[in-house]
């Protein structure tokens, strides 16, 4: 039997104080970890902080009497503060002082009405969405790092030498003193070179059973067995979490099989019980370098296990790897966007209050994604001066139609940061801003350049489509060709047909894709590519220009008679680039389209066509984000959608969009916004 979370609101005042104390205690622990000089006081202080944090988790999760647990945490942090003061670490002392003050606030604001107890509940497997498992266990005690305690120095022997009366006796005394000093130095050097006690042990020879070439390994005890399978589940969760994105040409619903494996691994880890949960954080900390897979795994596990202590382990790993590392931050944020743990909001608001830009960026991104930003937070973010944070906040401001959006957009478009300008154009599309097309055209003529062209295509009118065609004639880059395809003006078809004969291969592919997007002719070519060519590799090659004859790693480690094969190629269907096929199709079907019509997939454009593409076609994640913004711009409505959500959540979002689109009076082929019936 297992237990469910006690009826305590993570947003209550006393828990807010407790959350701040938790954050300050970790700040003190990080100060201790950063100290490198040996100290007799810091390791004991770290142990007291560990005990204080465990008591806080008892208070958070109701595993002990909450007021008593808060008092225990206060006492342990006070003991740690005394030790930190003796070590002369003012930063850690200040953080512990603030933590103790917050604990006093938590005690003072604790509700007088007794909170509900913890009821028993069975462990249940997840289905299509990440589960929240509740496990009967003690609170997880962290393991904090601290500088080593200095070894006690051997007491120097007193040199008792006779009082010399002659020069000969004086020389003998000097020689004896020299020998004693030399012996002491040799003893000290020998102690420094001596191997650790664990290494000094000589293992007894293992007796090989009769009939065996070597002794079999000893049988696993129960703890080792659980830890072994916990490692298997941990690696599975990390791998699947970073591989959920569909490859080009794949149906986005096909990812549901990977999601089912991910949920099964979380279920299995929960079923392994408290020993497995206690092993999760050490597994993540064992990584020698920052590892996004480990970061996602522990954040996802913490987000699917009841309790504040489970998520705290993910926070410690985040700070260990570095929240300013983009790969680490992306993995942590990806897990927090999916986590059902009710304490996820508390974690994110602690990160938002941090002084580190990386922590604040993670918090704003996830809070905005999940719709958890409060009105006062939105108002503060609308005045944010940091470009990175403002860029992350703009989608939330647009979705909420916040009064501060106009000022934020003005500042964003006026700055030279191209990432911030792109985020501003996206926000204007989500908000169906009346000046979205004008801003996108101005950005395309400015620093943003080609990156603004598709953004203009999804919000612009017929004049903007003509302008995009002129831009393509001037600079027929693949992005400019793609934008003409998104705009969908029938008058651009002859120019796209002409580009099919261009010398540049990328331009020809873009022209074929643009024609397919507009006309929906389903004229495809089948090509073969190696699977590695479909994957985006984020690892930087330390030798980007290797010698041509350098052998591969597989060839180096394989026997000459057993060389690995190159593998089988993947067959992909891509829009045809054959000018003759497209001209024949256009000659047969050109009469169906009025010259000023906007078309998409062979139909006169309406928001229903964007919804069809979003729901039914194998479009890339970035393409689906564009379709979502196009729907918002063309309907004046908005609802949450993100292609990184679980498939079940995406289908709920699509159902909400379908309900909104059904309520519109669409005019197929028009360039304006659809009206409400």
């Amino acid at each position: 039997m297992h237990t469910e979370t006690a009826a305590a609101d993570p947003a209550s005042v006393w828990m807010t104080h407790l959350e701040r104390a938790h954050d300050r205690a970790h700040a003190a622990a990080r100060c201790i970890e950063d100290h490198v000089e040996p100290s007799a006081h810091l390791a004991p202080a770290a142990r007291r902080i560990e005990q204080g944090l465990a008591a806080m988790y008892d208070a958070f999760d109701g595993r002990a009497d909450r007021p008593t647990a808060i008092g225990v945490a206060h006492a342990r942090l006070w003991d740690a503060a005394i030790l930190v003061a003796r070590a002369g670490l003012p930063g850690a002392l200040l953080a512990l002082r603030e933590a103790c003050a917050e604990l006093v606030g938590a005690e003072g604001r604790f509700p007088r009405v007794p909170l509900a107890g913890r009821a028993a509940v069975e462990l249940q497997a997840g289905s299509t969405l990440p589960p929240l498992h509740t496990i009967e266990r003690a609170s997880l005690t962290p393991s904090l790092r601290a500088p080593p305690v200095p070894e006690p120095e051997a007491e120097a022997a007193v040199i008792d030498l006779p009082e010399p009366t002659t020069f000969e006796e004086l020389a003998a005394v000097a020689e004896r003193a020299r020998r004693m000093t030399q012996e002491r130095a040799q003893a000290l050097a020998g102690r420094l070179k001596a191997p650790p006690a664990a290494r000094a042990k000589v293992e007894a020879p293992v007796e090989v059973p009769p009939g065996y070439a070597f002794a079999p390994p000893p049988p696993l005890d129960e703890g080792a067995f659980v830890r072994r399978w916990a490692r298997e589940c941990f690696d599975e969760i990390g791998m699947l979490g970073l591989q959920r994105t569909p490859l080009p040409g794949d149906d986005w619903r096909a990812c549901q099989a990977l999601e089912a494996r991910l949920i099964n691994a979380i279920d299995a880890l929960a079923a392994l019980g408290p020993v497995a949960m206690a092993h999760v954080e050490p597994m993540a900390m064992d990584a020698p370098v920052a590892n996004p897979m480990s970061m996602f795994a522990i954040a996802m596990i913490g987000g699917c296990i009841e309790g504040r202590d489970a998520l705290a382990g993910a926070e410690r790993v985040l700070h260990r790897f570095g929240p300013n590392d983009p790969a680490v931050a992306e993995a942590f944020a990806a897990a927090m966007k999916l986590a059902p743990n009710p304490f996820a909001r508390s974690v994110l608001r602690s990160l938002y209050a941090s002084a580190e830009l990386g922590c604040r960026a993670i918090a704003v991104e996830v809070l905005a994604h999940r719709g958890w930003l409060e009105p006062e937070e939105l108002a503060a973010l609308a005045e944010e001066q940091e470009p990175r944070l403002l860029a992350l906040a703009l989608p939330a401001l647009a979705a909420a139609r916040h009064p501060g959006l106009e000022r934020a957009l003005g500042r964003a478009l006026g700055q030279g940061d191209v990432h911030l300008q792109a985020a501003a154009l996206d926000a204007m599309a989500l908000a169906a801003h009346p000046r979205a097309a004008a801003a996108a055209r101005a950005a395309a003529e400015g620093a943003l350049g080609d990156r603004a062209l598709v953004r203009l295509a999804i919000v612009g009118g017929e004049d903007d489509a003509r302008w995009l065609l002129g831009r393509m004639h001037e600079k027929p880059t693949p992005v400019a060709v793609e934008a003409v395809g998104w705009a969908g003006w029938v008058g651009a078809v002859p120019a796209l047909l002409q580009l099919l004969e261009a010398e540049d291969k990328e331009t020809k592919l873009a022209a074929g894709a643009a024609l397919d997007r507009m006309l929906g002719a389903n004229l495809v070519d089948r090509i073969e590519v190696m699977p590695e060519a479909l994957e985006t590799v984020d690892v930087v090659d330390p030798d980007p220009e290797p010698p041509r004859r350098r052998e591969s790693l597989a060839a180096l480690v394989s026997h000459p008679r057993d060389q690995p094969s190159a593998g089988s190629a993947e067959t992909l269907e891509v829009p045809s680039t054959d000018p003759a096929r497209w001209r024949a199709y256009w000659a047969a079907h050109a009469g169906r389209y009025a010259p000023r019509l906007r078309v998409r997939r062979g139909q006169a454009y309406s928001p229903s066509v964007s919804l069809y593409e979003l729901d039914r076609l194998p479009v890339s994640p970035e393409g689906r984000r564009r379709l979502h913004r196009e729907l918002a711009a063309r309907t004046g409505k908005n609802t949450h959608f993100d292609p990184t959500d679980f498939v079940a959540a995406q289908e709920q979002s699509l159902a909400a969009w379908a309900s909104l689109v059904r309520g519109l009076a669409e005019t197929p082929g028009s360039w304006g916004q659809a009206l409400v019936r």
Side-chain angles (χ1 to χ4, degrees), residues 526-581:
R526 288 178 173 83
I527 61 173
E528 290 188 349
V529 296
M530 299 305 295
E532 293 78 7
L534 301 176
E535 299 177 358
T536 302
V537 181
D538 297 327
V539 179
V540 179
D541 189 346
D543 187 8
E545 296 181 1
R548 292 184 179 180
R549 295 184 179 180
R550 188 176 74 173
E551 291 186 283
S552 66
L553 178 60
L556 289 173
V557 301
S558 301
H559 193 276
R561 291 180 297 180
D562 189 25
Q563 290 289 324
S565 66
S568 59
E570 295 280 349
T571 301
L572 292 183
E573 290 186 347
V574 297
S576 175
T577 57
D578 184 354
R581 294 179 67 189

Side-chain angles (χ1 to χ4, degrees), residues 27 59 95 118 189 205-206 211 241 339 356 365 429 446 507 541 568 605 621 633 666 672:
R118 297 167 64 85
V206 179
E356 276 194 271
E365 179 183 356
T507 301
D541 189 346
S568 59
Y605 176 80
E666 299 178 311

Side-chain angles (χ1 to χ4, degrees), residues 11 108 119 156 227 246 306 539 616 648:
R227 289 190 292 271
E306 169 267 339
V539 179
R616 296 296 177 184

Side-chain angles (χ1 to χ4, degrees), residues 179-224:
R179 287 198 307 270
M180 294 179 66
T181 302
Q182 186 177 7
E183 291 170 357
R184 187 184 307 162
Q186 290 175 349
L188 179 60
R191 190 168 73 248
L192 294 175
K193 293 180 180 179
R199 296 181 184 175
K201 293 181 180 178
V202 179
E203 294 185 0
V206 179
E207 184 178 352
V208 179
Y212 285 82
F214 56 86
L220 295 177
D221 60 24
E222 185 175 352

Side-chain angles (χ1 to χ4, degrees), residues 30 290 295 314-333 351 354-363 365 388:
R30 289 193 290 273
M295 185 71 263
E315 291 178 85
R316 287 188 288 272
V317 174
L318 173 67
H319 285 285
R320 176 76 169 275
F321 287 165
N324 292 311
D325 185 321
V328 171
E330 182 180 357
F332 182 85
L351 293 176
S354 171
E356 276 194 271
L357 177 59
C359 292
R360 299 191 67 206
I362 292 170
E365 179 183 356
R388 183 178 173 188

Side-chain angles (χ1 to χ4, degrees), residues 340-363:
N341 193 318
F343 284 105
R345 295 191 191 207
S346 304
V347 172
L348 294 168
R349 288 204 156 78
S350 290
L351 293 176
Y352 183 58
S354 171
E356 276 194 271
L357 177 59
C359 292
R360 299 191 67 206
I362 292 170

Side-chain angles (χ1 to χ4, degrees), residues 398-416:
R401 303 293 199 274
H402 194 273
L405 175 63
E406 197 67 34
R407 295 193 307 276
L409 289 173
R411 295 202 325 275
L413 293 171
Q415 293 193 23

